Amino acid sequence: MKWFGPSGDDLGISEGRIHVETQDNALGLVVERVREEEAGKYTCSAIIDDEEVTTSFNLIVRPGITFEGTNGVQYATEGTNFTLVCNAKADSSPILSFSFGNKSIEQGKKYVTANNTLVIRNVSRDDAGNYTCRAFVVTSMTSQTKTIVINVKVKYPPESKTPESEIIYSSVDSIVNITCEADGNPIPSFEWISDEDVIEESFTYRIFRTDSNTSILQVYVYNESVYGVYLCQSENKLGSIERKFILREGEKPRIPTVEILSNEPGSVLLKLEALPEGMLDVLGYKIEYRLLIQPWSEKVEEEFDVGSQYVLRNLDYNTKYVLRAAARNAAGYGNYSEDIEFTTKSLNPGTVRSFAICCQPTQLSTLLSIVLSLPLLSF
């Protein structure tokens, strides 16, 4: 038994996309992932009692559903009516249905379907996301369905969620960062302006783009002439916005007073106070500390907001340290306090005994050995 294709070729191979399979006294023909060019007459030939017997069938291949010319990403503009295009094609006209997320779309005030399109009225940013276009074809001989996912991105002009104007304080001979944020689609461009001139990078100014929605103007306040008004303009094809920053001189805070309230094994509780300078309130503190035997280049820094608990943790036991503190306001950090030396406490033997009591007797000797060795490890 043999199978022959439309062009008379012998289809006798037993593997591949088109192959034959033998079962008992039958020879099957398998055509996987049928193509249009494989349509035609297929013939099975067998020799029975020294005579050739044939039987044939005509393979009709109907075109499957395709989405040629359908963009997987489509762009709508906020506030307009948008037509989402789903070009489904087949030998018979496909029936289309649309869904957004996990919900089917029904015709109404928001949506209208017609031919190969879905009209979304009064587009908002909530309409952005993945839309599924499902095509159905049903005939007397076959039926099929196929889907495509279309990502709709909504375009909108730049907008800022912060006030249109902001006052920034700094002192002479310091560096201040002015941050401008604007969201938009397409991603907006940023331009900084001072005295009606576009700012370019120089000795005084540096410009950083930290992400798609943020631009930072870094200003070196070398003298009072740098103070003034700075404009940040954000623009895309749909519009532009402008934010105003007023850079003013502000005195840095005074040196804070530092008092050690509590010295526990491994931690120190501090009291920090600094009087405000002018109209600028103290916003926080920075504490630098190091081992007494180390230089300040090996310091550790901790920052605190006003009102929080000023605690230095994870310190070595029975160890000498040096610390200093500086206060922060809107103009930046002031000068550091004088160095303050302190020695952390050792572990309290009473604490060790009470801790060991909670443990199993078999663990007591090991635990005491570990705990009592901790002060030695700090040296």
Side-chain angles (χ1 to χ4, degrees), residues 253-259 270-276 281-288 301-312 323-329 332-337:
R254 300 177 185 177
I255 296 174
T257 59
V258 184
E259 180 182 351
L270 304 173
K271 179 181 179 181
L272 302 175
E273 287 184 336
L275 296 175
D281 293 331
V282 175
L283 303 176
Y285 298 93
K286 180 191 292 185
I287 299 174
E288 296 183 344
E301 292 184 352
E302 298 245 10
E303 294 189 11
F304 301 90
D305 291 331
V306 166
S308 60
Q309 196 175 36
Y310 313 122
V311 181
L312 302 180
L323 69 79
R324 61 189 183 187
R328 172 176 59 87
N329 63 13
Y333 279 102
N335 295 324
Y336 280 96
S337 64

Side-chain angles (χ1 to χ4, degrees), residues 143-157:
S143 64
Q144 60 176 310
T145 181
K146 195 172 183 180
T147 63
I148 184 173
V149 176
I150 302 169
N151 181 245
V152 173
K153 298 182 181 293
V154 176
K155 298 187 292 185
Y156 53 95

Side-chain angles (χ1 to χ4, degrees), residues 97-106 111 126 128-134 149-150:
S97 67
F98 294 89
S99 60
F100 180 40
N102 297 322
K103 294 183 178 180
S104 297
I105 290 177
E106 304 292 339
Y111 302 105
D126 293 335
N130 290 330
Y131 289 77
T132 300
C133 173
R134 179 172 284 104
V149 176
I150 302 169

Side-chain angles (χ1 to χ4, degrees), residues 311-322:
V311 181
L312 302 180
R313 295 184 172 87
N314 301 318
L315 304 177
D316 293 336
Y317 305 121
N318 192 27
T319 303
K320 293 182 179 181
Y321 283 90
V322 180

